[in-house]
Amino acid sequence: MPRNLRTARRIATKRNRLSPVWPTDIREAREIQIALAAQVRCIPLASPIRLIAGVDASFSGDRVFAAACLYDFPSLGVVEEAVASRPLTFPYVPGFLSFREGPVVLDVLAALGRKPDLLLIDGQGMAHPRKLGLASHIGVLLGLPSIGCAKSRLIGEFREPGPGRGCRSQLTLNGQTIGAVVRTRTGVRPLFVSPGHLVDIPGSVRFVLRTAPRFRIPEPLRRADALSRAASKS
């Protein structure tokens, strides 16, 4: 049996036991990404969105801290917040950051009393060398719609979008569109938006813009960033 198939079956078994695979070995991590990426679905949202969770992580020493902020949509009122932390168990390797942050992100989402309809995650979705950034990784593991919203580009090519709020351009890789470069506020640097799971590119852009009415960063992510940073310094 091919190794990737064995890995995929083990992942499926672990998922059924609510215990995702978190390796410390780069080779196995790559195989897990390939297996999970095959499960990513870039499709229009299937259900109305009423609760959106913003998730961000910060680091301090040998620990990682995550915050999840649950917002009502479309009012953008805060519903609930949670913070969690764990020891770091995976080295810093570009393209594999979900193995550093993923375990604590699952912890903090599990700490919420209500299940979000959509996840906004500070990181990449499909705009990743193996099409499995943190937003895609968590979206597949939880079976939830997820969007990656990053401050900088990881991969892909793009043209600078227009200067006004709402202007956007395509983020492409080898001729395939993998996300969008979106101006959320006039005259500020754009964000790199890519679908994580169970949402398409137009839907991802729409929800990033609708959750960022005043600032560059969507409100749920701004709050999650502040909470995770505060936790890492306490």
Side-chain angles (χ1 to χ4, degrees):
M1 182 186 298
R3 186 177 174 89
N4 278 349
L5 184 54
R6 292 200 304 270
T7 300
R9 289 187 176 180
R10 184 167 70 254
I11 289 169
T13 299
K14 293 284 188 177
R15 285 184 65 198
N16 289 339
R17 296 173 184 171
L18 300 179
S19 178
V21 178
W22 298 112
T24 56
D25 175 79
I26 296 295
R27 184 175 65 177
E28 186 176 7
R30 181 180 289 106
E31 292 176 350
I32 289 171
Q33 284 184 333
I34 293 169
L36 289 179
Q39 300 181 43
V40 170
R41 297 292 177 264
C42 180
I43 58 176
L45 283 163
S47 303
I49 301 300
R50 297 184 177 87
L51 293 173
I52 297 178
V55 183
D56 198 1
S58 297
F59 299 86
S60 179
D62 61 354
R63 296 193 69 83
V64 55
F65 299 79
C69 300
L70 193 64
Y71 278 62
D72 176 76
F73 184 81
S75 73
L76 296 184
V78 179
V79 174
E80 188 180 355
E81 298 173 340
V83 175
S85 71
R86 274 194 184 221
L88 284 167
T89 59
F90 198 87
Y92 176 84
V93 182
F96 294 91
L97 300 187
S98 61
F99 294 96
R100 283 169 68 83
E101 301 178 25
V104 75
V105 167
L106 292 184
D107 287 348
V108 78
L109 288 171
L112 292 174
R114 300 177 66 180
K115 181 179 178 180
D117 302 310
L118 176 67
L119 303 176
L120 276 179
I121 295 182
D122 183 4
Q124 309 293 340
M126 294 173 56
H128 178 274
R130 286 162 295 282
K131 297 186 178 180
L132 197 88
L134 179 61
S136 295
H137 201 144
I138 298 300
V140 169
L141 289 178
L142 296 180
L144 286 175
S146 59
I147 298 169
C149 186
K151 303 177 188 71
S152 60
R153 174 184 61 173
L154 178 61
I155 60 169
E157 299 177 350
F158 69 98
R159 291 185 176 181
E160 191 73 13
R165 170 178 161 80
C167 291
R168 70 204 71 172
S169 62
Q170 293 182 335
L171 180 65
T172 63
L173 182 67
N174 299 325
Q176 179 185 7
T177 302
I178 57 174
V181 185
V182 183
R183 195 87 64 186
T184 53
R185 189 178 180 192
T186 298
V188 303
R189 289 174 294 129
L191 297 177
F192 293 82
V193 178
S194 58
H197 184 48
L198 299 177
V199 61
D200 58 9
I201 294 173
S204 298
V205 171
R206 183 171 66 254
F207 276 95
V208 165
L209 285 170
R210 292 190 67 182
T211 54
R214 295 185 299 160
F215 299 101
R216 178 188 179 218
I217 307 300
E219 291 298 322
L221 288 181
R222 287 183 70 246
R223 181 60 180 164
D225 173 72
L227 284 180
S228 66
R229 288 176 183 271
S232 71
K233 294 175 181 178
S234 62

